[in-house]
Amino acid sequence: MLKRPYPVAAGLMDKQDFAASMIAEEHNSFGRQHTEMLEEHFEEITRNDHSRKVAAGDILRGMLIRGRLQAAVFDVFMQLCLQGVCSLSALEHPVDWNYRAPEGTCLSWILRMLYVFGCFRVNWSSVQENWGIRPSRRWVEYDAPILWLGTMIGRSFTSLDVVFDIIRTTNQLGPIHSDSLTQLAEGFQPNEAWKADINLNRPQRWYGSGTFAFWLPENVEACIIQQGFDDAAMALSQDFYKRLERTEMHYAVFFDINRDVFDTDVQQGERDVRDWISEDA
C-alpha cells in the first residue's frame, strides 16, 4: 500500500515547491466548465500558490486516488474496444459534465448498472480519511469517471449484455453489490430497442473536463482515432499514463517512496483499485 504519513520537516519546503508547480499546471488544464460536481474544499485548495504548498501532501494523495480510479476505468474501456463491443470513436466528442440522464433512458440504465460495482460505491469520506486527507481538504463525491465510462459505452456499445459480461470478468472495478444488482433487475430492465448514440451527452462546445485532475480522454481528434485501434490506443494510453505517472512521481518524491516500490505496486495490480477501494464499498 502507498499510504504514507506526512513527511518530516527536513526538506519539506523544497518538496512543497516541487509539488505546487505541478499542481498549478493541473489546475490550469482542467477547463472552465461550471459543473455541479461536489469538489468542495479539494479543488479550492489548488487555486493559489500558498494553499498548493501548504496542502501539497493532501492534494497529491487525492490526485493519486483519483488517478488510480481513472486508470481502472480507462483500462476497462480499452478492453471493451479491443474486444469490439465498444468503439474509440466515442471519444471524439466532449462530455457534458452537468448532464443528468432522464429516468428510463439507456444512459440512466448503464449508469445504474455501473453503480453495482464496488469502486463506484465507495464512501469517499472514509477513503480520504484512510489516506490521511484532512477533513477541511476533502471532496464530497467523485462521479466524473463513472459518467465518462457510461457515456462512452452509451455512444458505442454493440450489446449491453456482452459489455457488462466483459466488465464483470475483468474484475477491475471491484466486486458486484448483489443486492443492488437484484433491485435493478427487478425494477429496471434494459430495452431491446436501445441503440448506441454517438452524440449521447454531447455539449455544444468543449470547455474542458470541469473537474480537477481528470485525464480520461474526450474531444479527441478524429485523426488519432482513424489510425486504427492499436496505434490509437497506444497514443491515448501514452497521454493518459504520462499524467498519472507524473503524479506518482511527485507523490513518491514528497513522501520519500522508492520508485521500485511504485513499480512493484503497479505489477501487483494496485492501479486497478481493488486492493484499496473495495474495502470501503
Side-chain angles (χ1 to χ4, degrees), residues 131-183:
W131 279 73
I133 298 177
R134 299 178 185 181
S136 61
R137 299 171 179 173
R138 297 175 187 171
W139 62 84
V140 176
E141 62 182 30
Y142 187 52
D143 290 337
I146 191 174
L147 180 57
W148 180 88
L149 181 57
T151 297
M152 299 310 158
I153 292 172
R155 287 177 179 177
S156 63
F157 71 88
T158 58
S159 166
L160 289 174
D161 286 342
V162 178
V163 163
F164 281 98
D165 279 344
I166 292 172
I167 293 176
R168 177 181 54 81
T169 55
T170 65
N171 197 30
Q172 286 189 286
L173 301 183
I176 290 175
H177 190 264
S178 57
D179 289 346
S180 296
L181 181 60
T182 299
Q183 291 175 7

Side-chain angles (χ1 to χ4, degrees), residues 107-278:
L107 181 56
S108 69
W109 184 87
I110 291 172
L111 293 174
R112 287 187 62 182
M113 189 65 190
L114 288 173
Y115 271 118
V116 308
F117 291 94
C119 74
F120 297 127
R121 301 182 58 82
V122 298
N123 181 324
W124 281 117
S125 178
S126 177
V127 169
Q128 292 172 92
E129 181 180 4
N130 289 342
W131 279 73
I133 298 177
R134 299 178 185 181
S136 61
R137 299 171 179 173
R138 297 175 187 171
W139 62 84
V140 176
E141 62 182 30
Y142 187 52
D143 290 337
I146 191 174
L147 180 57
W148 180 88
L149 181 57
T151 297
M152 299 310 158
I153 292 172
R155 287 177 179 177
S156 63
F157 71 88
T158 58
S159 166
L160 289 174
D161 286 342
V162 178
V163 163
F164 281 98
D165 279 344
I166 292 172
I167 293 176
R168 177 181 54 81
T169 55
T170 65
N171 197 30
Q172 286 189 286
L173 301 183
I176 290 175
H177 190 264
S178 57
D179 289 346
S180 296
L181 181 60
T182 299
Q183 291 175 7
L184 179 59
E186 292 176 350
F188 187 11
Q189 290 290 332
N191 189 327
E192 294 182 358
W194 286 340
K195 302 294 182 184
D197 178 3
I198 196 64
N199 292 308
L200 179 69
N201 192 19
R202 178 183 178 183
Q204 292 185 345
R205 57 178 297 189
W206 188 58
Y207 295 93
S209 71
T211 185
F212 176 67
F214 188 79
W215 312 315
L216 292 169
E218 56 168 328
N219 203 41
V220 176
E221 294 182 5
C223 61
I224 295 176
I225 305 301
Q226 292 167 1
Q227 296 179 90
F229 177 80
D230 290 344
D231 290 341
M234 180 176 295
L236 293 166
S237 296
Q238 287 177 344
D239 183 67
F240 174 83
Y241 280 104
K242 176 180 67 177
R243 299 181 72 177
L244 174 58
E245 288 167 1
R246 184 173 73 154
T247 294
E248 291 177 339
M249 183 269 289
H250 280 79
Y251 184 93
V253 169
F254 194 87
F255 290 103
D256 297 315
I257 302 174
N258 188 285
R259 185 69 216 189
D260 290 341
V261 174
F262 259 104
D263 292 341
T264 300
D265 188 59
V266 171
Q267 292 169 6
Q268 293 176 346
E270 180 78 0
R271 270 186 181 159
D272 67 15
V273 309
R274 289 174 297 178
D275 293 340
W276 60 268
I277 210 167
S278 60

